[in-house]
Amino acid sequence: MERLSRIDGKVGFYYKNLVTGEVVKYNEKEPMLAASLIKLTVLGEVFRGIENGEISENEVFTTRDEDKVPSCGALNYMDQGLKVTLKDLYTLMIILSDNYATNILIDRCKIENINDFIKENGLKNTVLKRKMFDSVGASNGLENYTSAEDMALLLEKIYNGTLVSKKASAKMLEVLKNQRLNGKIPFFLSSGENKVQIAHKTGEDTNITHDVGIVLGKEPFIICFLGNEVNVPEFERVMQDMSLEIYKRNK
């Protein structure tokens, strides 16, 4: 934890070995600006809605230029009138962190329902206050928050098959395994002798960088890094190095 304590800014960390139960924490309860980590809670509510028959994976949405918001993602660059399914949207929201897809899903599921899902699953420092790139909401002080401990709890429920249901958790895990933004936790773990499958979600904004995930090695473990007001390259190098060190220890 000494290396984390030397980082300028606000840093949260949570590690749990899913075999031995060993836990290491640092500022794990600190509420952090969530950036795209909040999309994990949207994913959970989407699957709760599917499970209860309130929405369908096959539901079709049509994109409109007036609804587009800046990157990350792909839909922002596509022509209007594109037909996309709910499954397309939640997949893009996670693997490319697509903000436009996220906003469509937030509108479909409703902010209040997503926050109910957050509370029902015991996330104490997480809240969704506004959609992605809602400049009016942001100017009025509305921000989305989470913590390292909350993200670890959500990921552990997915791993254990208890977030929504065993079937829903398995599907969410598969989506997270297909993450395309792999420059942080997976940086040293995606090739060569250390190659291992990782189910994870990143978050980025000005002076903000996060990565939270499940490293599915011989001894699977959860690892969560959250950083606000940080030097982004410096903290991301710490994520890369610590993830490799912890993986090697658990091999």
Side-chain angles (χ1 to χ4, degrees), residues 1-5 11-18 20-29 147-153 156 213 220-226 242 245-246 249-250:
M1 296 306 98
E2 182 181 348
R3 190 165 181 184
L4 292 175
S5 69
V11 172
F13 174 78
Y14 195 103
Y15 158 82
K16 183 173 184 179
N17 184 306
L18 294 166
T20 67
E22 177 193 11
V23 172
V24 179
K25 303 177 286 187
Y26 180 84
N27 289 343
E28 73 282 359
K29 298 181 187 295
S147 68
E149 183 177 67
D150 281 1
M151 288 291 100
L153 174 59
E156 186 167 7
F221 60 88
I222 289 168
I223 188 165
C224 299
F225 296 94
L226 277 68
M242 287 184 63
E245 290 164 9
I246 292 169
R249 192 183 72 186
N250 290 334

Side-chain angles (χ1 to χ4, degrees), residues 4-246:
L4 292 175
S5 69
R6 295 198 301 266
I7 296 289
D8 290 332
K10 294 168 60 178
V11 172
F13 174 78
Y14 195 103
Y15 158 82
K16 183 173 184 179
N17 184 306
L18 294 166
V19 176
T20 67
E22 177 193 11
V23 172
V24 179
K25 303 177 286 187
Y26 180 84
N27 289 343
E28 73 282 359
K29 298 181 187 295
E30 180 75 22
M32 299 275 194
L33 292 171
S36 288
L37 293 187
I38 203 68
K39 294 168 184 174
L40 285 174
T41 67
V42 179
L43 184 70
E45 174 58 18
V46 166
F47 272 89
R48 189 203 63 78
I50 293 169
E51 186 88 0
N52 292 345
E54 298 165 8
I55 54 178
S56 167
E57 284 194 337
N58 299 318
E59 187 172 342
V60 176
F61 302 80
T62 303
T63 63
R64 305 185 307 169
D65 280 347
E66 58 264 38
D67 294 331
K68 290 182 178 181
V69 291
S71 284
C72 299
L75 290 181
N76 191 54
Y77 303 101
M78 305 299 180
D79 289 336
Q80 70 171 337
L82 183 69
K83 304 292 185 183
V84 289
T85 65
L86 188 93
K87 183 177 181 181
D88 293 333
L89 292 172
Y90 72 64
T91 301
L92 288 169
M93 175 178 70
I94 297 301
I95 72 170
L96 293 179
S97 206
D98 196 297
N99 290 320
Y100 183 18
T102 304
N103 284 350
I104 296 175
L105 292 172
I106 291 173
D107 283 339
R108 183 65 181 87
C109 294
K110 308 300 181 189
I111 286 178
E112 58 268 28
N113 293 333
I114 297 166
N115 282 320
D116 285 345
F117 175 86
I118 288 168
K119 292 175 185 175
E120 289 164 6
N121 281 281
L123 309 185
K124 300 184 185 305
N125 297 299
T126 300
V127 64
L128 174 66
K129 290 288 190 179
R130 62 171 175 85
K131 295 193 293 185
M132 304 296 106
F133 280 89
D134 175 3
S135 57
V136 175
S139 66
N140 289 326
L142 299 180
E143 295 290 356
N144 304 322
Y145 288 93
T146 193
S147 68
E149 183 177 67
D150 281 1
M151 288 291 100
L153 174 59
L154 200 66
L155 290 169
E156 186 167 7
K157 287 188 173 209
I158 291 174
Y159 179 81
N160 289 334
T162 58
L163 191 66
V164 180
S165 69
K166 186 174 182 180
K167 179 181 177 182
S169 293
K171 285 188 173 183
M172 285 185 268
L173 188 64
E174 289 305 309
V175 175
L176 290 165
K177 286 178 185 177
N178 286 322
Q179 177 62 246
R180 302 292 93 185
L181 307 176
N182 293 314
K184 303 178 197 180
I185 291 172
F187 187 77
F188 290 122
L189 303 179
S190 57
S191 63
E193 64 178 20
N194 296 315
K195 188 172 183 178
V196 62
Q197 200 164 41
I198 302 170
H200 71 114
K201 180 73 192 78
T202 64
E204 297 84 21
D205 207 335
T206 305
N207 298 324
I208 293 173
T209 185
H210 310 309
D211 201 0
V212 302
I214 309 166
V215 179
L216 297 160
K218 182 179 178 182
E219 288 191 3
F221 60 88
I222 289 168
I223 188 165
C224 299
F225 296 94
L226 277 68
N228 284 182
E229 302 166 25
V230 295
N231 178 309
V232 168
E234 177 189 20
F235 187 42
E236 290 184 355
R237 184 53 192 263
V238 169
M239 294 186 201
Q240 296 164 359
D241 290 345
M242 287 184 63
S243 297
L244 177 60
E245 290 164 9
I246 292 169

